[in-house]
Amino acid sequence: MKKSIFIITIIIIFLSLPTPSLSQHCNKDDENTLFQIKKSLNNPYHLASWQNTSDCCSWYCLKCHKTTGRIIELTIFSGNISAQIPPEIGNLPYLQTLLFRKLTNLTGQIPSTITKLTHLTSLTLSWTNLSGPIPSFISKLTNLNYLDLSFNNLSGQIPPELAKLPKLGELDLSRNKLTGNIPNSFGTFSGNLKTLYLSHNQLTGNVPKSLAFLKCTTIDFSRNRLTGDLSMFFGRNKTIEMGYFAKNIFSFNLSKVVFPARFNYLDLNHNKVYGSLPVSLTGLSLQFLDVSYNSLCGKIPQGGKLQKFEKTSYLHNRCLCGSPLPPCS
Ligand SMILES: *[C@@H]1O[C@H](CO)[C@@H](O)[C@H](O)[C@H]1NC(C)=O
Ligand SMILES: *[C@@H]1O[C@H](CO)[C@@H](O)[C@H](O)[C@H]1NC(C)=O
Ligand SMILES: *[C@@H]1O[C@H](CO)[C@@H](O)[C@H](O)[C@H]1NC(C)=O
Ligand SMILES: *[C@@H]1O[C@H](CO)[C@@H](O)[C@H](O)[C@H]1NC(C)=O
Ligand SMILES: *[C@@H]1O[C@H](CO)[C@@H](O)[C@H](O)[C@H]1NC(C)=O
Ligand SMILES: *[C@@H]1O[C@H](CO)[C@@H](O)[C@H](O)[C@H]1NC(C)=O
Ligand SMILES: *[C@@H]1O[C@H](CO)[C@@H](O)[C@H](O)[C@H]1NC(C)=O
């Protein structure tokens, strides 16, 4: 016994030793590209460690592949960078993760050279000042499982081609200036898509019926100008667990909605939803409910979590009554 513990300890010590720097030699082409990127970003203070006196695998904001020394991650989280996204970014062909975040002086459009990054699995361009459209060429990055373009100044319509991303698990386009409809094609997203955030835009029209085919667990459409029905997301066998639909113009009969068993978060405030609260709500482990500012009527079903929420979750409807609101007359 003692001996095997000794051997295991040796193995653990061995595994926790830093990998020899030899195996991490930065690839020369990547290094040249990084120098070009640094120059295009106007030599920001943030990238001061990018100097040819050290191996580029040791520079800040980067990660190299352990054996090949190719750059696989470029992540700039914040900083004073006044520039556009350098087109040279497309010349880091082994990049898997690209992130520019909290760079309010990063302006301009998303460059088409990113389509060369075919290994990209995660793309985050968020809290920057990017403008122009969301380019349809992003759909060429078929290995993406995470796409976050939130908190920018992107405008125009959502390109229907995004639904061609077969591995996409999370799509966040919230907090932009997007207009037009939610594309019909979004119903053809693969079952991998679990989270869809489109909030804080200027989207209009009805939610396409095709979205009934989505297998999402979280959907955030709040603060747009969307109309019509949300019934495509509901039904006993549906996957939705959290629905953020506040501050739109949704209008449908809530009495008829059947919530799936794992559903636990419903924000419908400031819409035009009518009918009454279905009794089945009392059977859910709700962690959040807000149906205020709608046109609901009738008695709030008693039981489950429904009386655990404040009055404010129910106020400003046509004629809701019963605890936590005053009794029905
Ligand atoms: C390092 O960079 C400096 C300035 O850009 C250049 O003059 C020098 O030749 C480079 N050295 C190597 C070894 O590449
Ligand atoms: C953005 O650029 C402006 C003008 O050059 C500058 O005043 C400001 O400090 C910059 N902001 C950040 C966060 O870098
Ligand atoms: C950002 O950089 C610009 C120009 O280099 C400079 O004028 C400004 O003071 C900097 N802002 C911050 C917040 O560091
Ligand atoms: C974003 O860019 C626009 C124009 O490109 C500019 O007017 C605005 O001041 C920028 N906003 C920030 C927060 O840098
Ligand atoms: C978006 O652009 C407008 C005008 O071009 C600018 O006033 C605003 O600050 C920008 N928003 C962000 C988040 O940079
Ligand atoms: C739910 O799924 C079960 C099994 O897949 C199926 O038999 C049933 O008809 C479905 N119910 C509804 C309401 O779609
Ligand atoms: C909503 O649906 C319920 C159940 O089908 C029905 O009884 C009720 O009249 C409907 N309410 C409105 C306002 O259409």
Side-chain angles (χ1 to χ4, degrees):
M1 276 310 278
K2 280 238 172 78
K3 196 174 176 189
S4 65
I5 288 172
F6 176 75
I7 290 171
I8 287 168
T9 309
I10 292 288
I11 290 173
I12 287 172
I13 288 171
F14 181 77
L15 287 178
S16 60
L17 285 175
T19 41
S21 55
L22 247 186
S23 66
Q24 281 228 10
H25 255 320
C26 176
N27 175 276
K28 274 289 157 203
D29 293 340
D30 286 357
E31 185 182 75
N32 285 333
T33 300
L34 291 169
F35 280 130
Q36 287 165 13
I37 289 172
K38 182 180 176 185
K39 194 169 163 222
S40 292
L41 292 174
N42 300 315
N43 298 311
Y45 173 74
H46 213 74
L47 304 181
S49 71
W50 292 20
Q51 300 278 355
N52 63 4
T53 46
S54 60
D55 187 278
C56 78
C57 293
S58 69
W59 298 353
Y60 287 175
C61 309
L62 295 173
K63 189 174 171 190
C64 281
H65 187 272
K66 274 214 171 70
T67 51
T68 62
R70 302 304 303 233
I71 300 295
I72 54 173
E73 287 185 13
L74 171 56
T75 52
I76 303 182
F77 274 96
S78 67
N80 189 355
I81 291 179
S82 295
Q84 304 207 354
I85 296 180
E88 295 88 354
I89 214 100
N91 299 332
L92 295 171
Y94 291 89
L95 217 51
Q96 295 168 13
T97 299
L98 175 60
L99 177 148
F100 287 118
R101 195 163 191 275
K102 294 241 167 116
L103 303 168
T104 44
N105 284 346
L106 189 72
T107 54
Q109 304 202 3
I110 299 173
S112 61
T113 52
I114 62 161
T115 57
K116 294 195 270 176
L117 303 175
T118 53
H119 290 86
L120 215 55
T121 58
S122 174
L123 176 60
T124 304
L125 307 170
S126 178
W127 293 87
T128 65
N129 196 2
L130 294 174
S131 55
I134 295 177
S136 57
F137 57 66
I138 288 185
S139 65
K140 293 185 180 164
L141 299 170
T142 52
N143 281 308
L144 276 187
N145 62 44
Y146 183 83
L147 177 57
D148 178 1
L149 303 176
S150 63
F151 289 90
N152 284 298
N153 242 334
L154 299 167
S155 55
Q157 306 217 356
I158 299 175
E161 292 85 354
L162 291 183
K164 289 188 200 158
L165 292 167
K167 298 180 183 168
L168 203 60
E170 178 163 337
L171 176 60
D172 189 350
L173 306 179
S174 59
R175 308 253 180 182
N176 279 291
K177 292 177 177 163
L178 302 171
T179 52
N181 297 346
I182 297 173
N184 234 322
S185 67
F186 271 27
T188 65
F189 265 115
S190 80
N192 293 322
L193 191 76
K194 294 299 172 220
T195 339
L196 177 58
Y197 299 113
L198 303 177
S199 70
H200 290 82
N201 279 294
Q202 296 153 22
L203 300 172
T204 51
N206 290 353
V207 176
K209 293 273 178 263
S210 61
L211 267 57
F213 296 107
L214 287 181
K215 297 279 182 279
C216 289
T217 54
T218 303
I219 293 178
D220 186 353
F221 288 170
S222 44
R223 291 184 187 247
N224 279 287
R225 294 174 203 145
L226 295 164
T227 49
D229 196 354
L230 292 167
S231 62
M232 71 287 291
F233 297 128
F234 295 106
R236 209 170 301 286
N237 288 351
K238 295 295 180 146
T239 51
I240 190 168
E241 295 172 15
M242 307 178 99
Y244 300 76
F245 302 116
K247 300 196 174 169
N248 279 285
I249 324 168
F250 291 122
S251 173
F252 58 96
N253 188 341
L254 193 65
S255 327
K256 303 183 178 186
V257 169
V258 176
F259 295 96
R262 296 168 70 101
F263 192 73
N264 63 72
Y265 194 110
L266 180 61
D267 193 356
L268 270 177
N269 79 74
H270 290 87
N271 279 289
K272 297 194 182 311
V273 179
Y274 56 89
S276 57
L277 292 173
V279 176
S280 63
L281 279 173
T282 61
L284 300 176
S285 304
L286 287 174
Q287 49 158 313
F288 184 89
L289 178 75
D290 189 347
V291 296
S292 62
Y293 293 91
N294 278 289
S295 301
L296 295 164
C297 215
K299 188 166 192 272
I300 298 171
Q302 303 294 297
K305 298 272 196 270
L306 291 188
Q307 278 65 48
K308 300 250 183 335
F309 299 106
E310 303 286 329
K311 275 191 191 98
T312 48
S313 288
Y314 300 103
L315 285 174
H316 302 285
N317 273 285
R318 196 159 67 83
C319 56
L320 275 185
C321 58
S323 172
L325 296 181
C328 307
S329 51

